[in-house]
Amino acid sequence: MRLTIALPLLCLPVLFGADWKLADNPLTTPWTGQVNSAHPLPEYPRPQMVRKDWINLNGLWDYAIRPQQEPAPARYDGSLLVPFPLESALSGVKKPLKPEQQLWYHRKFTAPNLKGKRLLLHFGAVDWRAEVWVNGKPVGKHEGGYDPFTFDITAALKGKGPEEIVVAVWDPSDSGPQPRGKQVLSPNSIWYTAVSGIWQTVWLEPVPGNHVTEISMIPDLDGRKLRLTVHSGSSGEFTAIATLAGKMAGRVSGKLNQECALPLSDVQPWSPGAPTLYDLDISLAGGDRVTSYFGMREIEIRPDAAGFTRLFLNGRPLF
């Protein structure tokens, strides 16, 4: 079966097991029953830096819970629906992960024809420590339950046939020193059930060797411009085009990793009553292209005319 979604996508053959079902759930919403294990959360997961070609790896993964010091399991316990955490009903598992245990994930995928490009493996968030292998080769580790991370897995690919991803997750929850919000192993009163494992979208992205890694945008209302920095691991040049309601509003060419000014011919400030957003198209000389968006607004805290400290938006007190 081939998975396709509304956004432009590299189609990926995926076999889904038939053993997933919603676990017992004391709290549901009108949308609980609409979750489809074949393509949960199919939207592109990073709207401020979008690429046309990508592969969504959400869906059923093999999982196993084992003692922390044990190696990768030879056999798995069943299927878990990514990107829902282990403890959730939508994962289909709804089991706790103890501090002395480790959660293992496994799945296979078919890599696209890269044609000289690199292949990035993105995780939206994994709680808490993640170690990742591709075809048995370690590709990276990450600690932090709330932030996204990326590994370049090109060197680990076989180049033909099915490729294999294995992820090991350890989460000490409230027995560890890491930021965890109100998660506890024994939820009660105002304390919540712990969240362990992959809980945001996992996806693949083929990119040129010289590609955008981050975009920094600072609006300058008085200067009628956007202060723009396009980050990359290499040097080179880029071109950025801003449009408003489909019409050209500004264009600039600059050097990667250096701030430049994108002048705007039509400046419409963002506010709650008029949340105007500009579209931004960025292309690199090496072939990479991403789209984004921004709003022109200025937020500051300062005294008002009576001397009271206020929150100001675009030069006017908001409250």
Side-chain angles (χ1 to χ4, degrees):
M1 142 178 160
R2 298 184 73 83
L3 170 63
T4 58
I5 66 170
L7 284 173
L9 174 69
L10 296 173
C11 293
L12 174 68
V14 182
L15 293 177
F16 294 102
D19 57 344
W20 178 86
K21 66 177 182 178
L22 180 71
D24 291 338
N25 192 357
L27 183 64
T28 63
T29 74
W31 300 276
T32 302
Q34 298 179 22
V35 172
N36 188 334
S37 64
H39 49 83
L41 272 71
E43 305 86 2
Y44 188 86
R46 190 185 54 201
Q48 279 208 300
M49 201 172 86
V50 177
R51 287 189 177 92
K52 178 182 177 181
D53 296 327
W54 66 293
I55 298 172
N56 194 327
L57 293 184
N58 290 344
L60 290 175
W61 292 49
D62 303 319
Y63 88 95
I65 300 173
R66 296 289 186 271
Q68 188 185 353
Q69 302 306 322
E70 284 192 7
R75 299 184 63 180
Y76 287 81
D77 300 341
S79 297
L80 184 154
L81 188 58
V82 170
F84 301 106
L86 175 72
E87 295 86 351
S88 72
L90 284 172
S91 74
V93 179
K94 198 181 178 185
K95 293 180 180 178
L97 184 67
K98 300 176 182 178
E100 65 272 15
Q101 294 175 326
Q102 195 157 232
L103 171 61
W104 291 88
Y105 291 85
H106 168 269
R107 73 157 292 160
K108 294 183 178 181
F109 69 95
T110 300
N113 188 346
L114 294 177
K115 299 179 180 179
K117 293 184 176 182
R118 314 294 297 178
L119 188 61
L120 304 182
L121 173 60
H122 300 283
F123 291 84
V126 180
D127 199 352
W128 173 71
R129 186 180 71 196
E131 299 182 58
V132 183
W133 295 261
V134 173
N135 298 321
K137 300 177 182 178
V139 295
K141 299 180 182 179
H142 179 267
E143 292 183 353
Y146 302 100
D147 50 333
F149 57 97
T150 299
F151 300 129
D152 185 331
I153 64 172
T154 313
L157 297 175
K158 294 185 296 184
K160 60 180 180 179
E163 314 277 358
E164 183 181 55
I165 300 175
V166 172
V167 182
V169 178
W170 177 65
D171 180 17
S173 192
D174 55 326
S175 68
Q178 81 285 358
R180 57 180 173 82
K182 296 171 72 173
Q183 300 179 61
V184 294
L185 292 168
S186 299
N188 65 89
S189 184
I190 65 169
W191 305 103
Y192 301 155
T193 302
V195 169
S196 302
I198 300 170
W199 66 279
Q200 293 290 336
T201 293
V202 185
W203 80 101
L204 296 168
E205 215 168 29
V207 296
N210 188 15
H211 57 273
V212 179
T213 57
E214 187 180 353
I215 306 170
S216 299
M217 297 177 283
I218 303 175
D220 183 349
L221 275 175
D222 293 337
R224 300 179 63 85
K225 63 187 178 182
L226 178 74
R227 293 166 50 193
L228 174 65
T229 306
V230 179
H231 300 272
S232 173
S234 305
S235 59
E237 297 184 347
F238 71 90
T239 298
I241 298 174
T243 56
L244 181 61
K247 297 181 179 180
M248 172 85 76
R251 178 189 179 106
V252 70
S253 293
K255 293 183 177 181
L256 295 172
N257 304 307
Q258 295 183 21
E259 184 180 290
C260 71
L262 172 58
L264 298 173
S265 58
D266 184 3
V267 177
Q268 296 187 24
W270 181 99
S271 70
T276 303
L277 294 176
Y278 294 74
D279 292 311
L280 184 65
D281 190 302
I282 298 174
S283 56
L284 270 58
D288 193 23
R289 180 182 178 184
V290 298
T291 57
S292 187
Y293 65 90
F294 64 92
M296 293 298 292
R297 65 182 182 186
E298 181 182 67
I299 300 173
E300 58 184 330
I301 297 176
R302 59 181 172 87
D304 63 10
F308 294 101
T309 300
R310 304 289 188 191
L311 177 65
F312 280 70
L313 173 66
N314 303 334
R316 297 182 178 181
L318 187 61
F319 296 113

